[in-house]
Amino acid sequence: MSGNIYPDLVRVFYTNFQIVGDNLCSHVKEVDLEITHEFWFAITGLKYAGLRINKGNIGVVEEFNRM
């Protein structure tokens, strides 16, 4: 491990990554990690608003580019 980024820990995080309910969960070095929507949006500065896109409502969203 070197610097501020630890590739081995990142690899373990993604190896153990699961979605449980609406939360992102993982297990690294005997520590259970759970990231909620509220926490994720707070640290990234994103907002959770608008219409959720899924196969059932793609026709409702005008000019939706499937790519």
Side-chain angles (χ1 to χ4, degrees):
M1 291 191 230
S2 64
N4 294 327
I5 299 174
Y6 303 100
D8 293 338
L9 293 178
V10 172
R11 188 175 299 111
V12 171
F13 175 84
Y14 282 111
T15 299
N16 296 326
F17 180 78
Q18 298 178 14
I19 297 176
V20 178
D22 287 335
N23 299 330
L24 310 173
C25 299
S26 189
H27 184 82
V28 178
K29 294 190 77 160
E30 299 182 17
V31 176
D32 289 326
L33 304 168
E34 184 173 353
I35 302 172
T36 63
H37 285 292
E38 293 81 15
F39 180 72
W40 178 251
F41 293 129
I43 62 173
T44 60
L46 299 173
K47 295 180 181 177
Y48 186 71
L51 180 62
R52 188 171 231 183
I53 304 293
N54 60 41
K55 290 182 180 179
N57 68 359
I58 287 178
V60 176
V61 180
E62 295 178 19
E63 299 179 18
F64 177 71
N65 183 351
R66 292 177 188 237
M67 299 306 284

